């Protein structure tokens, strides 16, 4: 009877094998786990070794190392729930952002426009100038926001301009080179 039980794990041994224990066994790297999976799938992905840490469980008794005051020291404002100050707090002294005078004005209706000069149009291979062609040539960052063409430089060929605002000098130079401006 004892020989049969020696080969079989006991009930207490089965109970101690938990999910956390099997994970730690799977994370070990050694000669027996050196074979890597051939295909990467969602079921074979694991975090890099050392990248994950156990959650800090505070206030769970003195044996944990974070019992009693839960790592917050003794009393005081910062030991309380929600304790702490705002970024500009200077210990009760009038903070700098309130001591300095308010200056200037920010226009809430300001419209940001992307600026392109006539000299930059050499990078566009097509004769058609629109926000999409300027975006594909790398001259603007966002094709869906406003673009304005300025008159710095010369128009090297005739362009057809669509959907782009122009300065007066840019308009004159494009029309002088034989280009068209469409609304």
């Amino acid at each position: 009877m004892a020989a049969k039980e020696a080969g079989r794990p006991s009930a207490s041994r089965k109970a101690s094998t938990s999910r956390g224990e099997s994970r730690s066994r799977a994370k070990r790297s050694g000669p027996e786990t050196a074979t890597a999976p051939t295909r990467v799938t969602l079921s074979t992905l694991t975090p890099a070794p050392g990248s994950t840490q156990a959650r800090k469980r505070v206030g769970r008794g003195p044996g944990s190392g974070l019992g009693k005051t839960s790592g917050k020291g003794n009393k005081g404002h910062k030991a309380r729930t929600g304790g702490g100050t705002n970024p500009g707090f200077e210990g009760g002294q009038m903070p700098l952002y309130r001591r300095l005078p308010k200056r200037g004005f920010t226009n809430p209706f300001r419209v940001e426009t992307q600026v392109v000069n006539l000299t930059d149009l050499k990078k566009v291979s097509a004769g058609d100038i629109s926000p999409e062609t300027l975006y594909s040539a790398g001259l603007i960052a966002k094709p869906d926001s406003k673009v304005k063409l300025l008159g710095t430089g010369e128009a090297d060929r005739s362009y057809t301009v669509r959907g782009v605002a122009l300065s007066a000098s840019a308009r004159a130079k494009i029309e002088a080179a034989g280009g068209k401006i469409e609304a």
Side-chain angles (χ1 to χ4, degrees):
M1 183 75 175
K4 282 185 182 179
E5 286 182 13
R8 198 170 16 149
S10 66
S12 64
R13 171 82 175 138
K14 282 183 185 176
S16 69
T17 307
S18 65
R19 184 178 173 153
E21 211 174 300
S22 64
R23 277 192 182 165
S24 64
R25 240 185 276 134
K27 284 185 183 176
R28 282 189 209 133
S29 61
E32 63 273 353
T33 60
T35 57
T38 55
R39 251 177 73 193
V40 176
T41 61
L42 285 175
S43 61
T44 59
L45 288 176
T46 56
S51 66
T52 58
Q53 295 178 347
R55 184 170 67 89
K56 203 185 272 189
R57 298 182 72 230
V58 297
R60 294 296 186 273
S64 68
L66 289 169
K68 193 184 171 200
T69 56
S70 304
K72 287 177 171 263
N74 291 319
K75 299 185 182 175
H77 188 55
K78 294 198 315 192
R80 313 290 185 216
T81 304
T85 58
N86 63 341
F89 187 67
E90 297 183 22
Q93 172 178 299
M94 185 63 67
L96 184 68
Y97 70 91
R98 289 186 60 197
R99 290 197 303 263
L100 296 177
K102 289 191 287 184
R103 284 189 53 96
F105 170 73
T106 303
N107 184 2
F109 304 107
R110 180 181 176 182
V111 178
E112 288 283 332
T113 55
Q114 301 175 92
V115 177
V116 179
N117 286 309
L118 281 177
T119 54
D120 300 331
L121 294 184
K122 293 174 185 168
K123 296 178 184 174
V124 179
S125 57
D128 184 43
I129 303 297
S130 67
E132 290 77 25
T133 56
L134 293 173
Y135 177 73
S136 61
L139 295 174
I140 59 173
K142 296 180 269 185
D144 53 345
S145 63
K146 296 190 181 224
V147 181
K148 186 163 188 176
L149 192 59
L150 301 182
T152 305
E154 294 298 322
D156 57 340
R157 58 183 186 265
S158 65
Y159 294 106
T160 305
V161 181
R162 285 189 194 94
V164 175
L166 289 105
S167 67
S169 60
R171 180 180 295 271
K173 288 178 183 180
I174 287 173
E175 287 173 345
K180 288 189 292 183
I181 296 155
E182 298 175 5

